[in-house]
Amino acid sequence: MADVFIHPGRLHGTIEPPPAKSDAHRALIAAGLAGAGQGVTGLPEVMPDDLLATQRCLRALLDGQPLLDCGESGTTLRLLIPIAAALEPGRRAEKLCFVGRGRLPQRPLAEYRAILGGAGAELQFPAAGSLPLYLQGRLQPGTFRVPGHISSQYISGLLMALPLLSGPSRIVLTTPLESAPYVAMTLRTLASFGIAVDVLPDGYHIPGGQHYHPAAYCIEKDYSQAAFWLTAAYAGSTLELVGLPADTAQGDRAIVGLLDDFRRQRDEYRIDAAQIPDLVPILAAAAALTSAVTRILHAGRLRLKESDRLAATRQALADLGADIEEDDDGLVIRGGAFSRRDCREGRLPGGTADSYADHRIAMTLAIAALSTEHGVLLRHAEAVRKSYPTFFQDFQRLGGVVDELDLGTQS
């Protein structure tokens, strides 16, 4: 499935979102460190590429293999770097090499050198701050100063690693924490596997000498993926979502309130994306169908995702006829102001758009296609394998009409 044509229409039925990928990454690693990889339940029947990368790399790490292939998974990479550095001699290879594919080798890692440098672990970047990364030496307890505005995965990785050291450590946040719900998820997972962390006003205190203990852990259903189906319902589909947790650390639960706010039909919306960056593409699509001006702010970190996700979101939705602009830090969407007038109110014209090999862009375009006049030819639809490999099967089961196309090897 490289290219598909998605017809306009409406979805109907009941859908249970897949397990939360962010929750699963953390639980799989914690269970592996506890020596009880079978204790995690609720994993998807068809594993996304990202979770396969975590399983593969964790197994290689604990088996003493020197090469860790993270595929295209930034979460796998950022969580496992400090964990690998914290493992005691004999539990891993003396010198490790992290590699990846797609856009991952271009995504920055130099912050880890600043965070971990001088604490016993040596990081070498032959390619100027990105992959491949060579790691040797063992991390020592101490104080780790981390900017809170960079990826929360740096902080989550340290929180999972530092309990393995012989003595206590501190993480000091030097700037306000963004994507805080993901760190809260990490803390909840750690507590489930017997790891204690003290939350401080400026960071965290982590006692050393701790051990991960086997635990029965069930992965939550994913609000990040539910956001696509919830947006389809906002746009007129008749869907019932089941299985989503009411009590959760998932920050993307915010999609429920944001769509409710859109239903109030105000003239202008301002959405701070600092804590919910993964929602930005599908929120932009919902905003394009809302008769208002929507400003999405504090989303600059999206430029370092599987694509430049700000630019990709703007271009993809503009290709469907939306009035959308980007700046350094966000997006402005003028809902209802479409590039052509040959369509009904509340519908985009449609057209050809590219996922830019980004799973969230691909799923956003599929949902947006339902509310187009002429449908969408979606390039590189296979990107959904990264996080939701059964997305199009679910889409079709709910009544979506998708034609697979054979367009050769065009790009």
Side-chain angles (χ1 to χ4, degrees), residues 18 29 56 70 79 81-82 84 88 103 112 119 166 181 216 260 272 287 293 324-325 348 353 356 368 392-393 403:
I29 292 172
R56 178 178 64 247
C70 298
L79 293 182
I81 288 173
E88 60 190 12
R103 202 163 183 256
Y112 261 142
S166 59
D260 282 345
D272 188 336
V293 175
I324 179 170
E325 299 175 358
L348 292 159
Y356 300 93
F392 281 106
Q393 290 94 311
D403 299 332

Side-chain angles (χ1 to χ4, degrees), residues 49 198 277 298 410:
D49 288 351
D198 301 317
H298 303 138
Q410 299 179 58

Side-chain angles (χ1 to χ4, degrees), residues 196-212:
V197 175
D198 301 317
V199 180
L200 305 175
D202 63 346
Y204 310 91
H205 172 264
I206 304 98
Q210 300 190 64
H211 299 279
Y212 284 81

